[in-house]
């Protein structure tokens, strides 16, 4: 198997996996079981990956992490919004 | 800033971000709002990253993705277990 194709497949699958999570929270208006700490740390790490990609000028790293960051921030934003509305405890 | 340090920091932060999610689900015994589709796709993508790392013999990729895979599979396993117990709908 082509190594580059393997890397791109891995990047596309891990990145697009966040779409159903964004959709699920948006649809149910609930993110009680989603960890605020996870997505705060995750978004921070993805920003570092993005800076890393920008320095290396690696377009696969830049594109994959920009898409992941947008979805991770969407999850974080909805988590804060819906938890506040529902009044549930966050962790 | 050292580029290698930046990459390692990004890897450590994104990988360890899954720990609070694993802990949260374990503690609350609930993963209703966590997307089954997300973690199924995510685990699949991480397995591809792991194969990619093994072919390249890149230890940072191998270590980061092994740790991420273990946590992602834990989340998936608990999601299936607790959803079945609670009888809630999964997506």
């Amino acid at each position: 198997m082509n190594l580059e194709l393997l890397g791109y497949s891995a990047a596309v699958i891990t990145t697009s996996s966040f779409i159903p999570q964004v959709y699920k929270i948006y649809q149910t208006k609930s993110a009680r079981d989603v960890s605020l700490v996870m997505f705060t740390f995750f978004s921070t790490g993805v920003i570092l990956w993005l800076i890393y990609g920008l320095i290396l000028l690696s377009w696969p790293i830049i594109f994959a992490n920009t898409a992941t960051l947008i979805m991770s921030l969407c999850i974080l934003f909805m988590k804060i919004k819906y938890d506040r509305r529902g009044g549930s405890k966050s962790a």
Side-chain angles (χ1 to χ4, degrees), chain A residues 13-86:
Chain A
I13 293 172
T14 46
T15 300
S16 57
S17 71
F18 286 83
I19 300 171
Q21 182 68 72
V22 171
Y23 180 72
K24 188 181 173 76
I25 298 175
Y26 178 76
Q27 207 187 26
T28 61
K29 313 278 183 237
S30 172
R32 199 174 45 101
D33 300 328
V34 171
S35 168
L36 183 73
V37 185
M38 169 181 170
F39 282 96
T40 305
F41 268 77
F42 191 77
S43 302
T44 308
V46 171
I47 289 169
L48 294 189
W49 274 127
L50 192 54
I51 296 167
Y52 182 81
L54 286 167
I55 293 170
L56 285 178
L57 260 179
S58 159
W59 291 106
I61 297 180
I62 294 169
F63 282 126
N65 285 285
T66 301
T68 306
L69 182 62
I70 291 167
M71 286 181 288
S72 183
L73 290 176
C74 279
I75 292 169
L76 206 55
F77 174 78
M78 289 191 293
K79 163 78 182 164
I80 294 166
K81 186 180 166 186
Y82 297 137
D83 270 15
R84 222 175 249 179
R85 188 181 290 176

